[in-house]
Amino acid sequence: MQPRSDVVGSLLRPASLLEARQKHEQGELTAAEFKFIEDRAVRDAVALQQDAGLDVVTDGEMRRYAFFGHLVEALEGFDKFGGWSITFRDGQGHDDMVRRPVVVDKLRWRRQMSVEEFTYLRGRTTRPVKVTLLSAQQASAYYDPDKSRAAYATRDAYLADLVDFTRREIEELKRLGCQYIQIDAPQYAALLDETIREGYRKRGSDPDQMLEACIELDNAIIEGHSGVTFGIHICRGNHKSMFYASGGYDRIAEKVFSRARFHRFLLEYDDERSGTFEPLRHVPGDRTVVLGLVSSKIPRLESADDLRRRIDDAARIVPLERLALSAQCGFASTHEGNRLTPEDQRKKLELVARTAKEVWG
């Protein structure tokens, strides 16, 4: 699979869906009534992406409260908001604390993570579709040595179960015909940031050892599923147009790019926080790099000329035939969404599709 215009996953939730989720959680909407509204939001998300001209479509993650929601709500064993807090910020002085999930009991199967998403999406488009799942590296952040130890004596024991459950999900997706799966791994980029690395050390984890172990675990998740294209998305955090990490990919590039066995690397390259394209020299010659040059965080529409220039710059390191284009992240990694309008989002998706056609034909 070699789509040139890609989409990371989440799209802005319509106000009707946000209101319906709140009413459903408060018992004011039945499950059937809420599902009808969810379905309509997915149909609209598909139409938006198709009309924009994208080569790949997702369901916009409309059924999730956050990009990791499929995991937390499908598996018993998580405290949804009981994990350690992480601070998101931006360049204008805004910040916000987000509570992560934490594993507090043995993981048990409640329902499929993403099969409903895929089967509904597949039936509503003829375009290639993509499903997003969570990396072991991201899920590792949901282990707390104090709160999780009664369920799992070690982080490794918890992640071993996580890998097994994710592989089971992929097997079912593959059986149903899914051919493109993206593994979301923002925690890899967290290891670029010294403040976050120090946070891991304080919780008893060596960040470099974690990096090596989680590459092997993520490889184990995707290993042996022939006929499926696997992408990995590595960004620096995304919540209400804010981020939590900064730094180029240099610190992790050699290990992640050369050892991870993913077919497509979807990378964040929308501003100066992202560093240079130089780390891409570590990407093996049979992999594709999806350049996230269009920001999903700000309303300003990028220049097509600037995008083409930056693609040319990247092509000095990775040949053009192994490059593609996307936004740098989802537009709503959490249900609140980023600080831009649906119209801003539409224009940016159209820009990605149009520029990709101009560059690759």
Side-chain angles (χ1 to χ4, degrees), residues 1-4 257 262-267 280-291 311 314-325 359-360:
M1 175 177 286
Q2 192 67 297
R4 299 301 184 182
F257 295 154
F262 291 86
H263 307 103
R264 292 169 71 84
F265 293 99
L266 294 96
L267 304 177
L280 300 182
R281 63 189 172 85
H282 295 290
V283 177
D286 58 348
R287 316 296 170 81
T288 298
V289 174
V290 184
L291 300 170
I311 292 169
R316 294 187 178 95
I317 299 173
V318 177
L320 187 63
E321 62 268 21
R322 292 198 291 113
L323 295 175
L325 181 64
V359 172
W360 288 281

Side-chain angles (χ1 to χ4, degrees), residues 143-209:
Y143 182 89
D144 182 281
D146 297 323
K147 296 180 180 180
S148 306
R149 185 169 287 126
Y152 292 99
T154 66
R155 179 182 274 106
D156 288 347
Y158 152 65
L159 290 175
D161 273 3
L162 186 282
V163 168
D164 288 343
F165 279 115
T166 307
R167 285 186 58 82
R168 174 177 168 181
E169 183 76 5
I170 291 171
E171 285 293 343
E172 181 63 8
L173 287 167
K174 177 182 172 183
R175 187 186 71 81
L176 293 168
C178 184
Q179 295 180 301
Y180 186 11
I181 295 174
Q182 174 183 299
I183 304 297
D184 284 323
Q187 279 302 111
Y188 279 113
L191 297 179
L192 304 171
D193 193 295
E194 188 53 43
T195 301
I196 297 176
R197 290 169 66 88
E198 182 59 26
Y200 275 119
R201 294 188 191 102
K202 289 179 179 178
R203 288 185 294 276
S205 299
D206 180 288
D208 292 318
Q209 290 180 2

Side-chain angles (χ1 to χ4, degrees), residues 14 16-17 19-25 28-44 59 61-65 70 73 111-121 124:
S16 58
L17 178 60
E19 181 182 359
R21 177 177 282 275
Q22 184 176 26
K23 287 184 176 180
H24 178 54
E25 291 173 349
E28 299 173 19
L29 274 184
T30 66
E33 290 169 333
F34 179 52
K35 189 62 63 180
F36 178 84
I37 296 169
E38 268 189 344
D39 290 348
R40 183 175 62 199
V42 172
R43 292 195 300 271
D44 290 345
D59 77 337
E61 298 180 1
M62 295 292 157
R63 304 188 193 278
R64 305 182 187 186
Y65 75 93
H70 63 291
E73 296 186 333
R111 60 169 174 80
Q112 297 287 157
M113 299 180 199
S114 57
V115 164
E116 177 191 13
E117 294 175 351
F118 170 69
T119 53
Y120 191 85
L121 175 63
R124 278 143 190 90

Side-chain angles (χ1 to χ4, degrees), residues 43 216 220 225 254:
R43 292 195 300 271
E216 295 307 312
H225 305 289
E254 186 170 1

